[in-house]
Amino acid sequence: MIEVDNVAFGYKVGGFRIDIPKLAVEAGEKVAVIGPSGRGKTTLLHLLAGVLVPSAGRIAVGGTDVPALSREDRQDYRALRMGMVFQEFELLAYLDVIDNVLLPYRMSPVLALDDEARERAKALVKEVGLGDKRRRYPHQLSQGERQRVAVCRALVTRPAVILGDEPTGNLDPDSRDHVMDTLWQYSGETEAPLVVVTHDHELLERFGRAIDVSEFSA
C-alpha cells in the first residue's frame, strides 16, 4: 500500500537530513513512528502525505508515485485518499461540530458535499459519542471531544490511508483510548493502513510494529 524506496530529504536551514533506503506499510497494517524530538517523525509523515517532496527516491501510495504529481494534484490526492489527524486538532472556532467534520468537502473541489457525506458525518459523530453535541462549537467541547471531532473529519472522506501526528498527545487516558479505538475500528473495517507518530510508549503494544526515525535521520 505504501512503498518508500531510496528517499532523501533535507531542509536548507539547520542541516537536518533524512534518508530512507526502504520502507513498506501493507494494507490494514498499524505502524507507530517513534524517536526523539527533532529527528524527523513529522517530516516522514509529511513525505508520505506529499506535503513535502523528497530530493530523490520514490514514495508510492496505492500505486501512485505521490512526489511525481504536481502540487495541485498532490493536494487533490490527499483530499481523496488520505485522512490526517493532528495533535492540535486544527478545528475552526466559527464552525460547529458537523461543519468542522465536513470541512474537507468545503476546502477541496474534488470532494462532493452531498447528502451521503452529511449522513456519514452525522453517523461518525454519533459513533464517537458526540451525537448530542453536534451543533456545539469547539470552545464548548473538552480536549478529548475536540480530538474526536478531528478524527471524524479525517475519516469522513473514507480515506484509503490514515496518518496521525501525535493524535493523542494532549489527551487523558480515557479520551486517548477512545480516539485510538475509533481509528483502529476504521482501519480494521476498510484495510486502510494506519501510521501514527507517538511519544506514548503505553500505546506501542497496540501496533503491529514501530519505526524508529533515528535510523533514517542525521
Side-chain angles (χ1 to χ4, degrees), residues 4-17:
V4 179
D5 292 298
N6 297 313
V7 160
F9 175 83
Y11 292 104
K12 294 180 180 178
V13 178
F16 174 85
R17 181 178 176 86

Side-chain angles (χ1 to χ4, degrees), residues 90-185:
E90 306 294 341
L91 303 183
L92 297 185
Y94 57 86
L95 296 180
D96 64 21
V97 166
I98 289 292
D99 284 335
N100 261 298
V101 171
L102 290 170
L103 187 59
Y105 290 92
R106 303 187 186 282
M107 295 183 65
S108 175
V110 298
L111 295 172
L113 180 55
D114 53 19
D115 289 342
E116 184 179 348
R118 291 186 177 92
E119 289 304 313
R120 193 160 55 249
K122 292 177 185 177
L124 280 166
V125 167
K126 183 178 180 180
E127 185 178 323
V128 300
L130 297 176
D132 60 338
K133 299 179 180 180
R134 66 186 188 184
R135 289 305 174 190
R136 292 192 183 183
Y137 292 85
H139 74 276
Q140 297 172 310
L141 304 173
S142 69
Q143 271 198 325
E145 290 169 340
R146 290 197 295 272
Q147 187 60 302
R148 282 184 247 169
V149 176
V151 168
C152 291
R153 183 184 57 200
L155 301 182
V156 72
T157 59
R158 294 178 294 191
V161 176
I162 312 165
L163 305 174
D165 194 355
E166 298 193 59
T168 62
N170 291 321
L171 305 183
D172 61 75
D174 287 343
S175 295
R176 176 197 65 189
D177 291 342
H178 201 144
V179 165
M180 294 306 297
D181 288 344
T182 302
L183 294 174
W184 236 254
Q185 180 178 342

